Every structure is written in C-alpha cells, then in structure tokens.
Amino acid sequence: MIAIVDYGMGNLRSVEKGFQKVGVDAQVVSDAKSIENARAVVLPGVGAFRDCMRNLDALSLIEPIAKSIASGKPYLGICLGLQILFTESEEFGNFKGLDILPGKVVRFRIDLKVPHMGWNTVSLLKRPPIFENILDNSYFYFVHSYFVAPAEPAVIAGMTEYGINFTSMIWKENIVATQFHPEKSQETGLRILRNFGDWVKKA
Amino acid sequence: MLAKRIIPCLDVKDGRVVKGVSFVNLRDAGDPVQNARFYDEQGADELIFLDITASHEKRNIILDIVRKTAEDVFMPLTVGGGIRTLDDIRDLLKAGCDKVSINTSAVKDPYFVSRAAEKFGSQCIVVAIDAKRVPGIQFDTTGEDWFDEEDLQEVCLRMPPRDPFTWAISTHGGRTMKRIDAVQWGRKMEKLGAGEIMLTSMDKDGTKDGYDIELTRAISEAVSIPVIASGGAGTLEHLYDALAKGKADAVLAASIFHYREYTVNEAKEYLRAKGISVRLS
C-alpha cells in the first residue's frame, strides 16, 4: 500500500482517485503507524509552506515521513511535498523545512503574473522512473508562487520556463518530487501516478 | 512556455447541466460528469461549473457532482455560484474541486476573500467580477464606496453607455449594480488575497459579439494575478482578441463549445497558427 499523507492541505481526493483510476493501491492516511507500514509515501498539498510544516508537526508526522525516506522507500512529493524537502522557505519570513535536500524555496521575482498558474512544459535533465514513456517537454498543470532552488544541481531532473528557468522536478535515489500536479494533468499526469506505482512494486 | 488556457463553462441547475453540450452522443446531455468527460477528451485546460441553483439548501447536489467528476476527470475544476461561507469552500475542496469562484459574497464583505485565502491559500480563490460599462462617473478609488446604490442603478440600467465611461461591478447575475469601479475592485481583490480573476462583461455576455477587450485589458494590466476573460465569445477570432489584445491569461467560453460550433482543439489549432502559446496534445 502507498500512503497518501493527509495533513489538511488541499485536494487529496484527486490524488487518491488518480491512483485508483490507474489501478494502484494507495490510501489516504494521517497517522504515523500507517506511514510506517506503507511501502511508499506520497505527500501532496497546495497552500502555504508554513501551514504545511505546522500541520505535519501537529500530527507528529514529520519524523515518520523522514524515517520512511531514510529507509529507502519511494517518496513522491507534489507541489508543497516537493518544497518541504528543502532546508527553508522564504515564505512568511523564513521557515524551516525537512532539510532532507539542501536548498531554499524562493518566490518568483519576475515581470509576469504570479501565481504561475496553468499548463507549462517540463524539459528533462534526467529521466526519473516516474517519467517512463512520457515525452520530454510534455505539458503539466502548475499552480504556485514559490519554487525550489536546490543547492545540489545534481538533484534537478526537470526544468520549466516562466520568466526564469526554475526547477520543476527533482530526483535523488528514492526521492522524486514535482512542482506540477500529476493528479490534475490529465492522461500524462495519470501516467506519472501509474509509473510511481510500478516503481514502488519494484522497489 | 506557459500556455494560454481555454476553459469551457457549464451552468448547473439542480444537479443538471443547462444549455450543455448539444448534438453530441452523450447518453444524458444533462449529466455534468458526461459533459466534463467530453471536454476532458477534447483537451480543455480547465473546467468551470457555475452552480445557478437558487436554493442554498440544495448545495449538497453540487458537492455530489464535484465528487463524481473528480473521480473521473483529472483536470483543474472550478466551482462558482452561491458560495457564502468558509465551510462552503472547504466542502467543495474536499469533494475534489481545485478552485472556487466568489462574487456576491466578496462584494458583501471583501474580507471574506482574505479569510478564505488565508485558510485555503490564494491559489484556490478566484474572484468573479461582473462588470458593466457606465457613464464616466468618478468612483471612489478605494472600491469601498457603495452608498447611493439606488441612484446608480437608475443611471446604469437606464442610460446607454457613453464616453467617457468606466466599468462598475454588478452582483446577482447583473441584476444589481454597485458603485464600485471594476478596475479598482480588481486591485483590491488581489491585495486581499485573490489568486485569479474571472472577468465577465455584462454588456457582452450572451451577445456572441466578442469579449469586451478594453475591459479585459484594463483589468489584466492593473493586476498581477491571472485574468480569465468571459462573456461574448462567438468566434475563434474573439478568443484570439481577448488573449492577444485583451492580454487575458485564459478565456472562458460556453455556447461556442456546447453547440459544437468549434471543438476546444480546433480553437487551439487556430490560436497556435496565430502565434498564441497553447497546449495541444
């Protein structure tokens, strides 16, 4: 079973139904035990970085998630689930993240509309398992005002252009995370969820 | 490059799509989920359900529709109409919708927008602005001056628009005019936490005569959040004009897609040929 972590941030239903649609066993959970027992963790979420960390902390889920990642189980972060992997975010002053990957979460400082909202392309630097059978420069749905600036360029798997080139996907060993929303990206997005399911089976 | 979005809008009344997709082999043309799937297959970028059910007691019907749609269609879904409380928003988001569109409740209490944005994040709070051309009265620039409403209603509804003009906002589907300047209101909504503006020209809505390009451009240039142009689409050129000349980030259309005059994909091919960045699968 794959654990979709519910910590009160945004639309989990689409993630759950998306996995269901492609025949992957994934369940919404919000307790440490279920995360421990799961074969993999999915952390979705939209909204504020600060609230995300606070809610995870209030539910005592930070440690179980970090442990699951450290044990080598596959992790899929979506949007906030990507951002909180990093050291800190400049949203609301400075706020600490999980610090599993070194780097910062920064706001768009560009002459374009913010949030970056809509369909944009992801150009691959390397192909993580979730990108199996997906074309380079495919469109995905984005909605965010902040993006990650990894300190180790080696973790960057995909980049997207919006005023600047920013990191839209990272991959390091068992960790893969996207700034875009696979669960909102129609066929291509569902393909990502299916690929993640396959990867978990093999892991 | 970020693609300009094409967004079909479906009016839902008492759980049924009214004026939905016609001349198509839908088993049930009034079924919202089937309509949603139809547009999903056509490559629509998002979908909006506008709940025009009059009774607030029937809100669970739209929730049920959202739940069923979210099980089947994996694209961004916005619901507008009759949203009055934070609980209404929470219920919709939990059911699987991604954004809610607020109009009347924002006008009644602008800080409802900030409370909603604080609680759920700006990214899911769309403010719907219904704007109508009015003679060039000097509006209060804060957007908070709504006295003299009856007087304005007289002016707006009886006098033909003339130059110099401005745009005032209306609520209740255009039946009530407010003494609020639409451009100032857009700025204020952004400041209070709106993540997007859905802008409908009440002068153009239903005319198939083209969007109000000046209005679209005025608001789009005044705010730094995305603007969806709505009201008046009759041809593909109208879509182009709203995006290229009106500087909209997305266009909403209903009848040109429902009545199969064009498919969403045809619209996108047309736009791409004219140099607009769109997502074509």
Side-chain angles (χ1 to χ4, degrees):
Chain A
M1 187 268 288
I2 296 171
I4 304 167
V5 183
D6 179 9
Y7 55 107
M9 298 292 285
N11 177 5
L12 299 187
R13 196 177 151 79
S14 294
V15 181
E16 185 192 12
K17 294 293 165 191
F19 275 116
Q20 229 172 60
K21 182 107 180 167
V22 295
V24 174
D25 178 24
Q27 280 166 31
V28 174
V29 306
S30 53
D31 64 287
K33 194 83 197 150
S34 306
I35 292 173
E36 223 171 272
N37 292 338
R39 296 184 63 176
V41 167
V42 178
L43 196 71
V46 289
F49 186 95
R50 174 187 60 184
D51 299 344
C52 172
M53 286 303 290
R54 274 186 186 160
N55 289 8
L56 285 175
D57 190 38
L59 291 161
S60 308
L61 295 179
I62 291 179
E63 209 195 312
I65 292 169
K67 262 190 180 165
S68 168
I69 293 174
S71 75
K73 288 180 186 171
Y75 171 93
L76 173 63
I78 299 171
C79 195
L80 277 178
L82 160 71
Q83 297 183 1
I84 62 156
L85 291 171
F86 287 84
T87 317
E88 58 182 358
S89 168
E90 62 179 27
E91 194 174 355
F92 302 110
N94 257 7
F95 226 82
K96 290 279 169 221
L98 296 177
D99 199 17
I100 290 168
L101 299 172
K104 276 192 164 194
V105 183
V106 293
R107 194 176 161 86
F108 280 112
R109 290 183 184 83
I110 49 172
D111 203 20
L112 297 170
K113 304 281 178 91
V114 176
H116 171 225
M117 186 185 282
W119 296 80
N120 206 334
T121 51
V122 174
S123 56
L124 291 177
L125 274 70
K126 50 183 183 175
R127 185 178 286 276
I130 59 165
F131 248 70
E132 210 61 39
N133 292 313
I134 293 175
L135 294 175
D136 194 4
N137 291 312
S138 289
Y139 277 100
F140 294 94
Y141 189 77
F142 288 83
V143 50
H144 62 122
S145 304
Y146 292 78
F147 61 93
V148 299
E152 298 171 350
V155 303
I156 302 171
M159 304 279 286
T160 295
E161 196 248 303
Y162 189 61
I164 51 155
N165 260 313
F166 71 91
T167 300
S168 51
M169 177 165 62
I170 62 103
W171 175 33
K172 187 186 183 185
E173 294 156 8
N174 57 320
I175 305 170
V176 55
T178 63
Q179 184 57 65
F180 55 85
H181 292 266
E183 78 281 13
K184 287 290 154 190
S185 299
Q186 295 175 333
E187 280 304 308
T188 330
L190 290 179
R191 182 83 227 181
I192 296 243
L193 299 183
R194 178 190 294 181
N195 287 342
F196 184 71
D198 290 346
W199 189 38
V200 171
K201 267 184 218 154
K202 283 182 224 151
Chain B
M1 195 174 168
L2 184 67
K4 299 279 188 181
R5 287 169 283 155
I6 310 284
I7 310 176
C9 174
L10 291 159
D11 288 356
V12 179
K13 190 174 187 216
D14 298 324
R16 304 284 295 166
V17 172
V18 289
K19 294 187 295 179
V21 181
S22 301
F23 315 120
V24 195
N25 292 329
L26 293 189
R27 268 172 296 133
D28 177 359
D31 177 23
V33 183
Q34 284 190 34
N35 276 269
R37 196 182 301 136
F38 172 77
Y39 283 122
D40 182 47
E41 284 161 7
Q42 275 197 8
D45 295 311
E46 293 188 27
L47 202 61
I48 294 182
F49 282 142
L50 194 57
D51 186 12
I52 54 172
T53 309
S55 155
H56 198 70
E57 282 69 51
K58 292 183 180 166
R59 282 209 68 76
N60 50 347
I61 301 178
I62 191 77
L63 288 175
D64 194 46
I65 290 168
V66 171
R67 262 183 226 114
K68 286 184 182 140
T69 306
E71 279 172 22
D72 210 43
V73 172
F74 296 89
M75 67 197 287
L77 179 64
T78 302
V79 175
I83 292 158
R84 296 179 190 168
T85 65
L86 293 179
D87 281 348
D88 289 341
I89 300 175
R90 193 207 52 215
D91 292 346
L92 281 165
L93 296 178
K94 271 193 103 152
C97 113
D98 301 282
K99 302 186 247 184
V100 294
S101 163
I102 303 168
N103 179 358
T104 305
S105 298
V107 177
K108 274 188 186 154
D109 173 13
Y111 296 94
F112 177 61
V113 171
S114 38
R115 288 196 301 278
E118 229 161 77
K119 191 157 173 83
F120 305 106
S122 291
Q123 83 290 333
C124 65
I125 306 300
V126 183
V127 169
I129 299 179
D130 292 348
K132 192 175 165 64
R133 284 179 187 234
V134 292
I137 322 159
Q138 200 54 49
F139 282 96
D140 173 53
T141 49
T142 62
E144 285 195 83
D145 178 15
W146 28 44
F147 59 84
D148 237 0
E149 212 172 276
E150 271 176 31
D151 171 50
L152 184 76
Q153 193 138 354
E154 289 278 299
V155 175
C156 295
L157 299 181
R158 294 205 183 154
M159 284 179 67
R162 60 173 163 77
D163 286 332
F165 61 88
T166 184
W167 296 277
I169 66 163
S170 74
T171 59
H172 301 92
R175 293 191 302 277
T176 313
M177 292 303 301
K178 294 281 175 185
R179 193 187 178 83
I180 303 173
D181 179 84
V183 177
Q184 298 295 341
W185 181 246
R187 284 208 185 102
K188 186 182 172 87
M189 289 297 99
E190 176 185 9
K191 219 164 118 195
L192 290 182
E196 191 169 34
I197 286 171
M198 189 173 115
L199 176 65
T200 304
S201 161
M202 299 314 283
D203 303 299
K204 295 287 197 166
D205 201 28
T207 64
K208 306 198 81 178
D209 202 22
Y211 298 89
D212 186 335
I213 302 301
E214 285 168 294
L215 167 70
T216 306
R217 186 167 180 148
I219 303 247
S220 193
E221 285 181 340
V223 299
S224 59
I225 51 177
V227 172
I228 307 169
S230 154
T235 67
L236 298 184
E237 198 179 353
H238 293 156
L239 305 183
Y240 172 79
D241 287 344
L243 296 168
K245 298 178 190 157
K247 299 194 168 182
D249 301 280
V251 281
L252 180 144
S255 46
I256 68 163
F257 295 133
H258 298 338
Y259 300 120
R260 283 298 291 261
E261 286 159 35
Y262 305 99
T263 66
V264 176
N265 251 318
E266 279 166 8
K268 286 185 172 181
E269 273 159 14
Y270 171 87
L271 292 169
R272 173 169 285 183
K274 293 195 79 167
I276 301 274
S277 163
V278 289
R279 178 183 64 115
L280 271 166
S281 39

